[in-house]
Amino acid sequence: MTKRVYLETIGCQMNVLDSELIASSLVQAGYELVDSPRNADTILYNTCSVRQHAEDKIYSALGRLRPLKERKPQTIIGVLGCMAQKDQELIFRRAGHVDLVIGPGQLSRLPEILEEVASQRHREPRLEVSLDRMKERRALVEESFAKFDPPRPPELRSSPFQAMVRIMFGCDKFCTYCIVPKVRGPEQSRPAAEIVSEIRCLAADGCQEVTLLGQTVNSYEDPSKGQTQRLSDLLARLHDIEGLRRIKFVTNYPRHMTDDLLQAVRDLPKVSPYLHVPAQSGSNEQLKRMKRGYTVEYYREMIERIRSIIPGAAITSDFIVGFCGETEEDFQQSVDLVRWARFKNSFIFKYSERPGTKAAGTLPDDVPDEVKRRRNNDLLAVQNAISLEDTLPLVGKDLEVLVEGPSKAAKKRASVGNEIVQLVGRSVWDHIVVFDGPRALVGQILPVRIEKADAFTLFGTMPRLKG
Ligand code: SF4
C-alpha cells in the first residue's frame, strides 16, 4: 500500500533544503507526497525556532490536527527541525497527539523511524534529538548531528535549473539572541570533494545555478585530512564544473569576509557579485550586547573593502530592531549605517526573545512592541528609498536573467503549451525581474530590457519580443 505524506516547511533556506532532502528520502522509501493533511497518513512539519511567531504557527497547526487524529488515530504526526531540537518533550506536553519529535541532526533516520512507529501496536511518543552541546563533549555532539545530504531528483527541487547545496551546518558564534548554535549544533563543514561531486551531478542534470548554504558560509573549511581549502578554493573548483553557470553563497559572517574570498568573487565570472553580510545593528553598544564579535567601524571597513575589490557588488544585510536595551540613539546608528552602506536591500526583524539563548537569560527584552514596530517601519522606509534609488537607473538597460518560472499570478491562471505568460527571473545581483515570454524560456539565461522599476522588482521585456 502506498504511504502518503504531507510535509509543510517553515523557516529559512536551510529548512527549505532540509525539506527537499526529507521529501527525496521519503519518496525513495516508497512514500507519495500529497498536498493536504486530509489526504495523508503521515503529517510532518519541518519547523523553525528563530522567532516566536514561527513556533506559534506550528503549535496552532498542530492544534487544528487534533480532530483529524481523533478520527484517524493511525495517522502519524511528526514535528521535525529546529523547534523539535529546542522544545523536545515540551511538544508532546503541548500537543499530546504528536507521535514523533525529530531534531535536524536525526533526519537521515526519518524513513526508518517512521517505519518503526507505523509498525507499533501501542504507540509511545518517539523523541529523537541530538546531544545538548552545553552538556557533552564537542566530538560527541558533532557526531550526534548526523550528516544528511542524500541525492535528490530535479523534480523534488523548487526548480530543476537551480539548487541549494549545504556546504556546512551548525554555528559556533553564539550571538546572544540566536538559538541556531543550540538547535543546529557545532559548526561542521562538508568535505570539498563531496560538495564538488554533488554539484557535478546537479550540473549534469541541467542545473544552472547553485546556492551554497551555511549559517556562516564564509567560514567554510574543508575538513578532509591534509586540506586547507577555504570557501575561495571551493568556489574555484566549482567554477570549473561544466554546465554550471552561476554560483551564489549565503549567509556571510562579517569577520570572515577575507580578501581571498572577495578576489575569488571578482575573478570567477560564474560567482555572482551578490553578498549577503548581516550587520544586525549600527551601534557598537548593541553589537557588544549581541556578541557579534565586531564593531561598526570594522563592518564599515569591510563594506569599503568589498566595494573596492568588487566594484558594483550588490550587498544586502539583516538588522534586528528593538534588541535588549536599544535606545533611540542606538537605533539612529542603524539608520545611519543603512544610509551610508546603501545596501541593495535589508531584511529587518523585530527582536523576538528565544528561550535558551544567552540574551533570554541575562538581558531584559525591554523595548516595547510598539517601539519595535515603529523602528522596523522607519528602517524599512529608509532602506526601501535607497533600494528604489538603486533600481531606477537600471531602467533602459539590459540585464542577464536566469528565468526561474511563471510568476505567482501566471501560476494561478491555467495556461497551455508554450503560450506567453508572465515569467520571473533573477539577475546576478539577485534582482527579481518580471517579464512576459514563452514558458519554454524557463531555465535559460537571457537578456531582458528593463522598462520599469520599483524598490523590489524590475519589470522588463525581452528585446526580441518587443513590437
Ligand atoms: S552567526 Fe550569530 S546570528 Fe548567525 S547563526 Fe550564528 S549565532 Fe546565529
Side-chain angles (χ1 to χ4, degrees):
M1 198 179 76
T2 322
K3 301 165 278 185
R4 290 159 305 169
V5 64
Y6 171 79
L7 172 63
E8 190 171 317
T9 312
I10 290 213
C12 64
Q13 281 172 304
M14 198 63 97
N15 255 24
V16 174
L17 171 59
D18 274 343
S19 284
E20 283 179 14
L21 301 171
I22 292 166
S24 300
S25 65
L26 292 179
V27 166
Q28 194 115 45
Y31 284 82
E32 179 197 343
L33 299 169
V34 295
D35 56 10
S36 156
R38 279 197 311 277
N39 304 328
D41 21 55
T42 300
I43 302 170
L44 302 173
Y45 289 98
N46 190 16
T47 62
C48 168
S49 270
V50 164
R51 268 170 287 287
Q52 184 61 45
H53 178 67
E55 293 190 355
D56 294 344
K57 235 171 125 177
I58 292 296
Y59 279 114
S60 308
L62 291 173
R64 286 195 299 276
L65 288 181
R66 196 181 291 274
L68 184 148
K69 180 77 171 173
E70 279 163 10
R71 269 197 330 274
K72 289 162 67 182
Q74 280 320 304
T75 308
I76 298 176
I77 299 180
V79 175
L80 320 175
C82 294
M83 194 179 101
Q85 181 67 34
K86 174 179 156 283
D87 282 359
Q88 305 194 2
E89 291 95 347
L90 176 66
I91 298 174
F92 298 125
R93 291 202 291 277
R94 285 188 64 174
H97 52 300
V98 167
D99 300 285
L100 286 177
V101 169
I102 302 185
Q106 317 298 319
L107 294 175
S108 57
R109 292 168 49 225
L110 182 61
E112 154 203 333
I113 295 170
L114 284 175
E115 211 52 54
E116 286 166 19
V117 171
S119 65
Q120 280 166 355
R121 197 183 293 218
H122 300 292
R123 265 187 218 158
E124 289 293 321
R126 179 84 179 252
L127 176 69
E128 294 287 347
V129 287
S130 300
L131 296 176
D132 182 340
R133 69 184 295 185
M134 302 304 165
K135 294 188 182 145
E136 302 286 348
R137 278 194 301 120
R138 181 173 177 120
L140 292 176
V141 179
E142 280 184 2
E143 216 174 290
S144 76
F145 279 89
K147 311 271 184 312
F148 180 53
D149 294 288
R152 60 208 190 278
E155 63 277 13
L156 289 178
R157 300 200 304 268
S158 48
S159 150
F161 309 103
Q162 293 165 298
M164 292 177 280
V165 174
R166 186 189 344 255
I167 64 166
M168 56 185 297
F169 54 84
C171 181
D172 284 346
K173 300 290 184 281
F174 286 98
C175 301
T176 55
Y177 54 83
C178 186
I179 194 72
V180 165
K182 265 193 138 176
V183 295
R184 293 252 171 200
E187 184 178 308
Q188 297 185 75
S189 294
R190 281 178 77 194
E194 198 181 299
I195 299 166
V196 172
S197 130
E198 179 177 343
I199 297 180
R200 223 177 249 138
C201 292
L202 287 165
D205 256 352
C207 177
Q208 308 269 308
E209 176 186 274
V210 289
T211 302
L212 311 179
L213 296 187
Q215 309 294 346
T216 56
V217 73
N218 54 346
S219 61
Y220 174 82
E221 257 182 49
D222 189 350
S224 317
K225 280 204 174 63
Q227 302 290 327
T228 49
Q229 294 218 329
R230 293 179 287 178
L231 181 57
S232 53
D233 305 305
L234 178 65
L235 291 174
R237 285 179 71 178
L238 298 177
H239 193 265
D240 289 341
I241 294 179
E242 208 180 312
L244 186 66
R245 307 214 19 217
R246 282 188 185 177
I247 307 166
K248 293 180 179 170
F249 54 92
V250 285
T251 287
N252 293 285
Y253 186 68
R255 285 185 64 85
H256 300 304
M257 218 34 144
T258 49
D259 284 357
D260 63 299
L261 177 58
L262 298 179
Q263 283 150 6
V265 177
R266 177 195 63 197
D267 298 339
L268 301 169
K270 290 183 184 175
V271 179
S272 295
Y274 160 71
L275 300 169
H276 181 61
V277 204
Q280 305 301 10
S281 174
S283 148
N284 279 335
E285 201 50 48
Q286 288 302 94
L287 290 172
K288 208 149 105 200
R289 280 197 193 115
M290 292 174 172
K291 200 175 154 284
R292 285 291 285 174
Y294 52 85
T295 60
V296 70
E297 291 75 22
Y298 176 91
Y299 188 86
R300 284 178 183 240
E301 183 274 328
M302 178 213 66
I303 296 277
E304 278 167 350
R305 255 183 324 111
I306 297 177
R307 299 245 185 256
S308 81
I309 297 176
I310 321 166
I315 307 172
T316 60
S317 188
D318 290 344
F319 282 86
I320 296 173
V321 293
F323 182 64
C324 312
E326 187 188 63
T327 62
E328 220 38 58
E329 200 190 330
D330 290 322
F331 171 66
Q332 276 312 317
Q333 289 169 5
S334 291
V335 174
D336 292 346
L337 180 59
V338 168
R339 287 212 171 99
W340 174 85
R342 297 193 64 81
F343 298 111
K344 174 185 166 282
N345 57 276
S346 294
F347 301 92
I348 299 163
F349 305 98
K350 291 187 297 167
Y351 173 59
S352 168
E353 186 178 270
R354 309 312 300 127
T357 58
K358 182 95 191 288
T362 55
L363 299 166
D365 180 11
D366 53 1
V367 179
D369 199 54
E370 67 272 17
V371 175
K372 288 181 183 169
R373 205 170 318 130
R374 196 230 329 130
R375 289 180 186 167
N376 193 329
N377 292 342
D378 288 356
L379 194 55
L380 204 55
V382 172
Q383 175 60 62
N384 290 352
I386 292 166
S387 300
L388 184 61
E389 281 166 22
D390 280 3
T391 53
L392 284 177
L394 296 171
V395 173
K397 300 213 163 97
D398 288 351
L399 289 191
E400 291 278 308
V401 167
L402 168 60
V403 186
E404 296 185 339
S407 69
K408 271 192 198 142
K411 272 186 198 153
K412 281 189 198 143
R413 280 195 320 266
S415 62
V416 283
N418 198 23
E419 75 172 312
I420 304 284
V421 292
Q422 189 179 60
L423 298 169
V424 182
R426 269 178 209 259
S427 73
V428 283
W429 299 278
D430 210 45
H431 298 107
I432 298 169
V433 183
V434 174
F435 63 103
D436 287 344
R439 270 175 184 275
L441 294 181
V442 175
Q444 292 190 31
I445 295 179
L446 43 86
V448 174
R449 172 78 38 88
I450 305 306
E451 309 278 0
K452 214 172 87 181
D454 68 25
F456 310 107
T457 315
L458 304 175
F459 301 88
T461 51
M462 287 173 51
R464 64 198 156 100
L465 280 189
K466 283 180 79 186

